[in-house]
Structures are given as structure tokens and as C-alpha cells.
Amino acid sequence: MNRTNQTLDVGALLDRSSWSTYQKLLTLLAALAVIFDGFDIQILGFAIPSLIREWHVARGTFGPVLAIGLAGMAVGSPLAGYCGDRFGRRMALIGCVVVFGLATIGTALVHGFTGLAVMRFLTGMGTGGALPNASALTAEFAPLRRRATAVKLTLVCFPLGGMLSGVLAALVLPRFGWRGLYVIGGVLPLALAAVLAAFLSESPRFLARRPSEWPRLASLLGRMGHIIPAGAAFEDRGEHEDTANASLRSLFIPGLARDTSGLWIAFFFNLGSVYLIFGWLPAMLTAQGLSLATASTGLAVYNFGGVLGVLLWAMLVTILGSRRPLLSGALACAGSAVALLVVPIQAHGPHSLLIACLGINGLLANAVQTSMYALAAHVYPTSVRATGVAYASTIGRLGGLLTSLFGAFVIQAGAKTYWSVLALAMVFAFAGLAWVRSHYPAIGKLKAVAATEAG
């Protein structure tokens, strides 16, 4: 057999090639894990009414439990991000899915707040760690011109998971109660983990950094449609040379420090506003005299708007680059929260305008949120990509933890304070995004660069 000493740049090979059917299938597999992130965030909210009746406690008692779940995410994100950069995104993602699947089933067996809090923390660790590794995988499966689209189509599963939790709760709670809901919600991700173990491949860019994995990489690239010479060596020339060790310090080296600080500001305030909706919107609306059914409808429409927003911004970011869609989306989201300040909330009046405004706010907030994950996956090189996305996600979870803890106080201050906090948070998110320097370029610029390099 003829062998060659040719060295192939895996990053350039992927970035200049088409987005094959096999690569799209791998993206779909990683995306399925994200569904259960959005599912888990809202499943407790649907179970709380049943828990209140069974345990004879007040709704406000669940605020710390919601916060504990986000604390678990804050711990799980950097830990799983480190494992993903060190040992591989595939195994880290599968491990996270197994953790939150088992913890969700364990929740069905608890009989008090201590057990609920422990299981919520473990579930949060799993879901918090799944998102950065899924984002890193999908970013590294796709060519550069499709990277933002791939990550955003993966993250559209987040609001889809919220919608799934509502549909499943409506079907399961009346027949099997909240314990049945948690059992089903744990079995599904465990089944998914088995599918991922059987069919999900490791990131080719990650494999390129390990000579012992080069035969495996050559086989993977072959399935993606590339002809790889026998005995070829691999590298990823697009890497920062001084980011070989994935750590917090590596995110603040020259060339990354400004982008990291801007991303952290944007993540903190954007996810803080999103979790203020997820955790406390039904409570805020019912406190204003609306029925629980109307409040649930408002949250469902918020999630549906989020799905539309993710899909719309996926196209906008691909065509225009990330800077203009993200900055305009953040400001428009703040404006939609201001509009909600003047929408009348009447217990027995029509609520169509309120519901429509919630849908618009959900569209914009989720569009910006998922675009930020795509932006983070673009900003960081392969060696620290999962770590960079994980720490940004962790900072965002801390914002969510803050709003989970103090959401009840915001509600007590009234609806106007609630919407004002949401608007102000998105203004700060705008400022953080404006500070980021390395925004995803427009598709026209990517094509021009590719044409120049090919020439």
C-alpha cells in the first residue's frame, strides 16, 4: 500500500466543503439532547401545582428549588466543558444526558424538599453540561459558512423542549400525576443516550489534535465524502497556538479577553431575563388576576415565538453576519418589554394583545439567546470551544439563578416592575454584544474569503 506524508488541515477541509447529509445527521443527533434542556427547565413549573396540593406548601417555597437547579447548571457547564475539551465532546454529551435522565427519574421517588433539591441540582448539572458540548459538536461538524445555522438549528430545540414539556404535562399529569411525568421525562433522555452511543461520532477537529485518533478521523472524513490519502497526518491550522490547555485563563488571552467579557455580560443579562419568564411568568400573571390556563397559554406562546425567532435569526445571521441581527434583536426585545408595560392586564377582559406581545418578546429573547451560543462557538478555537461556551453559559445561568431567587420580590413590586426589569436586562445584553469584536461574518464575506484562498 502506498503511504503519504501529506498533512491535511481538517478545519480548512471542512470549511471549504459542502454540508453533507451525514454531517446534518450528526447535527440532528446532537440537537436532540438540547430538547431535554428546555424540557427540564419548565417541567417543574408544570409539576408545582400538584406538589402544592400533595405536600401542602406555598408556591413561593419552590423559588430556592428553581435556583438550586440553575446552580447545578452553573456547576455542570464548566465541568462538562472541560471534560469535552479534554476527553471529547461525544462522551461528555452522552454522560450529561445519562446524568440528567437518571436524576429526573430519581425526582419521581422523592418525598420532600431535601430530596427534590438534590435531584434538581443533579439534573441541572447534566442539562447545563449538555448544551456547551452539543453546541461545540454541531459547530465543528459544519463548514464555517453553515456554522451559525447549524448551532442555531440545534438550539431551536431549547424552546421546542419547553413546548414538549407542556404537551407532555397536559397528557400525563391528569392520568399519572407528577411522578409519572418525571419518570417519562427521565426515560426519554436515557433512550436518547443509547442512540447517541450507537450513532454519534466525535468532532473531527477534536480528533485532529490526537495522532492516536487519526485512523478514526480518516474513516469519519470518508463518511463525510472526503477522499483521504493513506497515512495522512492531520492538523487544524485555525487554532490559537497559546490555547492548548482549556482553562478559564485561556479565555482571557490577548485576542479573546474582550470577546469573553462582552459575551459574559450579554449571557448574564439575556438568560436572566429568559429565566425570569420561565420561572415566574405564570405566577406574575395569576397574581394580576388571570387564570392559570391563560398564564400557561402565555408561556406556551412565548416558547412558540422563541422557535420562530431562532429559525428567523438563523437566516439573518447567515446572510448578514451576527452583529446587526444580535444588536437590533436585543434592542427590539427591550422595546417589546416596554410595550408590555402599557398593555392592560384584565382578569376578565380579552388577552389577545398580551399574548401576542409575549410571543414577540419570546421570539426576540430566544433569537438573541441562541444566536449568542452560535457566536460563542465562532469566537473560541477548537481547543477551548466547549470550555468557552460552557463558561458563557454558566454566567448566563448565574443570571437566571439571580432572577429565580428574587423573582418573587419582583412580582410583589407589580407588573410594571417585572416588565421594566426585563427591558433593562436586554439593554445591558445589547451593551455586552456591542463590546464583542469577533462577530460572525456575513455569508458574502465568507464566500469572498473562500474564493481568495482557493485562488
Side-chain angles (χ1 to χ4, degrees):
M1 179 182 293
N2 294 328
R3 301 185 67 85
T4 178
N5 293 323
Q6 182 178 359
T7 299
L8 300 179
D9 182 355
V10 172
L13 183 66
L14 292 173
D15 288 342
R16 296 171 185 172
S17 302
S18 62
W19 195 17
S20 69
T21 301
Y22 182 66
Q23 287 166 278
K24 294 175 182 176
L25 174 62
L26 294 175
T27 299
L28 174 62
L29 290 174
L32 291 176
V34 180
I35 287 180
F36 296 99
D37 193 311
F39 180 95
D40 179 74
I41 285 171
Q42 296 181 58
I43 189 174
L44 180 59
F46 291 103
I48 282 176
S50 299
L51 287 166
I52 290 173
R53 291 192 298 269
E54 183 175 324
W55 292 356
H56 307 289
V57 294
R59 176 178 291 273
T61 312
F62 290 92
V65 177
L66 291 169
I68 286 171
L70 292 171
M73 293 178 184
V75 173
S77 285
L79 178 60
Y82 172 81
C83 291
D85 285 329
R86 184 72 181 273
F87 306 110
R89 289 85 159 92
R90 175 181 177 273
M91 288 308 300
L93 178 60
I94 294 172
C96 288
V97 173
V98 170
V99 167
F100 71 69
L102 291 175
T104 302
I105 292 176
T107 305
L109 305 177
V110 303
H111 295 277
F113 276 99
T114 300
L116 180 63
V118 170
M119 290 298 107
R120 185 71 178 172
F121 183 84
L122 293 175
T123 305
M125 286 189 66
T127 56
L131 193 57
N133 281 290
S135 300
L137 268 175
T138 55
E140 293 168 9
F141 286 145
L144 179 59
R145 65 185 178 278
R146 298 297 185 188
R147 183 176 296 168
T149 300
V151 175
K152 288 177 69 62
L153 290 178
T154 298
L155 296 179
V156 74
C157 294
F158 185 89
L160 281 175
M163 295 176 63
L164 175 64
S165 66
V167 172
L168 193 61
L171 295 174
V172 174
L173 282 173
R175 299 184 62 185
F176 303 105
W178 68 271
R179 296 184 189 276
L181 178 63
Y182 269 94
V183 169
I184 295 174
V187 169
L188 291 176
L190 290 179
L192 173 63
V195 174
L196 296 178
F199 299 107
L200 183 64
S201 297
E202 183 55 84
S203 159
R205 296 173 189 261
F206 177 84
L207 295 175
R209 295 159 49 200
R210 287 162 169 75
S212 62
E213 298 287 353
W214 285 352
R216 181 181 171 192
L217 173 58
S219 176
L220 173 60
L221 292 174
R223 291 197 296 274
M224 291 181 175
H226 301 286
I227 299 176
I228 306 301
F234 299 95
E235 64 180 357
D236 190 357
R237 296 172 191 160
E239 294 299 294
H240 291 263
E241 294 182 359
D242 48 357
T243 59
N245 296 317
S247 65
L248 178 60
R249 181 179 298 180
S250 68
L251 306 181
F252 288 92
I253 63 170
L256 289 180
R258 174 173 170 174
D259 291 339
T260 295
S261 60
L263 283 170
W264 283 17
I265 292 170
F267 267 82
F268 181 86
F269 286 101
N270 177 259
L271 268 73
S273 70
V274 169
Y275 287 119
L276 186 60
I277 291 285
F278 284 162
W280 295 105
L281 178 66
M284 192 281 295
L285 293 179
T286 53
Q288 301 300 312
L290 274 65
S291 67
L292 182 58
T294 301
S296 299
T297 299
L299 186 56
V301 171
Y302 179 91
N303 277 298
F304 179 71
V307 173
L308 296 180
V310 172
L311 297 175
L312 177 59
W313 254 249
M315 293 186 292
L316 291 176
V317 169
T318 300
I319 297 171
L320 303 175
S322 62
R323 179 175 291 276
R324 283 183 289 172
L326 274 172
L327 295 182
S328 61
L331 281 183
C333 187
S336 68
V338 172
L340 283 161
L341 277 168
V342 299
V343 173
I345 300 179
Q346 301 175 353
H348 303 291
H351 305 120
S352 56
L353 182 58
L354 172 66
I355 299 299
C357 287
L358 286 172
I360 293 172
N361 187 267
L363 183 152
L364 295 166
N366 284 280
V368 172
Q369 178 195 359
T370 54
S371 296
M372 291 193 308
Y373 280 102
L375 175 59
H378 169 73
V379 163
Y380 296 111
T382 303
S383 57
V384 294
R385 182 167 289 123
T387 296
V389 175
Y391 270 104
S393 178
T394 295
I395 296 299
R397 306 293 189 190
L398 291 176
L401 189 152
L402 189 67
T403 56
S404 294
L405 284 174
F406 296 103
F409 298 101
V410 175
I411 291 173
Q412 288 178 353
K416 293 188 181 300
T417 300
Y418 185 87
W419 304 126
S420 297
V421 169
L422 288 174
L424 188 61
M426 291 309 299
V427 171
F428 281 110
F430 167 85
L433 291 168
W435 183 244
V436 173
R437 178 175 54 194
S438 304
H439 273 269
Y440 189 87
I443 191 171
K445 185 175 180 180
L446 290 175
K447 289 181 177 179
V449 171
T452 301
E453 292 177 347

